[in-house]
Amino acid sequence: MTQPASTDQTGGTRLRVLSYNIHSQKDDRAALASVVRGLAPDVVIVQEAPRRFRWRPKCAALAESFGMVVAEGGLPSLGNLLLTSLRVRVRETWCLQYPLTPGRHMRGAVFAECSIGAARFVVAGSHLSTDPTERPGQATLFKKALAEVSLPLVVGADLNENSGGAAWRTIADGCTDAAVAADLGDRYTYSCANPRDRIDALFVDPRIEVAKYDVVDTPEARRASDHFPVLVDLVLPAAAG
């Protein structure tokens, strides 16, 4: 798949974003790299990235396999990772860790303020708990952090629940659900073996136009992870920020 044009007819800046739970790279790594390289994203929001022993070189190796560079994430954001192409300038980054519920995995979020030319925006990613009792609280903390951002916002997340759930509603409030904007809310993202749920979401600030949305279902994607990647082409406002 080719890279979208850098600007559209209105003067807005085009941005291609991929949100992808890579299943801790437990599946076909060559297929994983091929899927991402073929889609040519500007930004990849990764869930289940390296977060333990030697996480820094592992994150760097993952980025290199995609033809990208690390912006932020890994251990500080508990497995959430932001990767960018050289087209994107990363200005500032920060991470969030949710409080640990005893007996559960720690979860977190990652943020990066970026720019392409004069267009500035913030990308954020998170992976919420599988536990329905702690997931709404994590969503509330994530939403509070998102609300502090004034720039146009792009949010990719594995919410571990379908649309309509409490956590999903919290994150979606005031945002555009890219799938719904494209009238493709019926496209499932999980699991690749038995697609039955849309638990991977990509939300954008209302100031951002959703030009295209796709759940990438190919034989290669089915080998690469247990989640399908979510791809969007966006148009950033001409005077973003």
Side-chain angles (χ1 to χ4, degrees):
M1 186 177 291
T2 58
Q3 181 73 20
S6 60
T7 59
D8 77 340
Q9 295 179 346
T10 68
T13 299
R14 298 296 291 251
L15 179 73
R16 176 167 288 176
V17 179
L18 189 69
S19 185
Y20 204 173
N21 183 320
I22 63 170
H23 197 209
S24 300
Q25 298 175 271
K26 295 176 181 177
D27 303 294
D28 187 330
R29 295 191 181 191
L32 177 66
S34 181
V35 167
V36 176
R37 282 181 174 269
L39 297 173
D42 296 304
V43 176
V44 182
I45 306 169
V46 181
Q47 299 90 42
E48 294 196 29
R51 53 174 288 186
R52 295 186 175 89
F53 179 69
R54 292 178 54 80
W55 63 272
R56 287 186 180 87
K58 288 177 181 177
C59 287
L62 178 67
E64 184 177 7
S65 75
F66 292 170
M68 308 187 81
V69 296
V70 174
E72 180 60 285
L75 177 61
S77 60
L78 302 171
N80 297 285
L81 181 66
L82 297 178
L83 307 177
T84 65
S85 72
L86 296 180
R87 180 172 177 251
V88 178
R89 178 183 176 186
V90 179
R91 294 172 170 267
E92 182 180 0
T93 63
W94 62 102
C95 297
L96 172 66
Q97 295 187 2
Y98 307 133
L100 175 64
T101 299
R104 307 300 303 176
H105 294 298
M106 290 189 70
R107 304 278 180 165
V110 63
F111 303 80
E113 179 185 330
C114 305
S115 63
I116 298 178
R120 295 173 61 190
F121 57 98
V122 169
V123 180
S126 189
H127 184 188
L128 301 188
S129 175
T130 57
D131 185 340
T133 63
E134 68 175 348
R135 194 162 54 235
Q138 293 175 351
T140 297
L141 291 173
F142 187 35
K143 188 65 173 183
K144 181 179 179 182
L146 295 173
E148 295 172 356
V149 174
S150 60
L151 292 171
L153 190 61
V154 179
V155 182
D158 176 355
L159 298 178
N160 266 314
E161 68 179 30
N162 284 290
S163 61
W168 186 294
R169 292 196 307 271
T170 296
I171 303 302
D173 183 36
C175 297
T176 299
D177 182 333
V180 174
D183 197 25
L184 291 171
D186 59 349
R187 294 286 302 279
Y188 297 139
T189 67
Y190 180 83
S191 69
C192 290
N194 181 24
R196 62 188 184 275
D197 295 299
R198 184 166 79 95
I199 64 175
D200 303 278
L202 209 148
F203 303 109
V204 298
D205 187 295
R207 291 171 286 182
I208 297 175
E209 176 190 345
V210 178
K212 183 179 179 180
Y213 171 92
D214 192 19
V215 176
V216 183
D217 182 355
T218 64
E220 206 167 35
R222 287 177 179 253
R223 298 196 306 270
S225 176
D226 61 343
H227 290 245
F228 293 116
V230 175
L231 179 72
V232 294
D233 284 348
L234 305 173
V235 182
L236 302 171

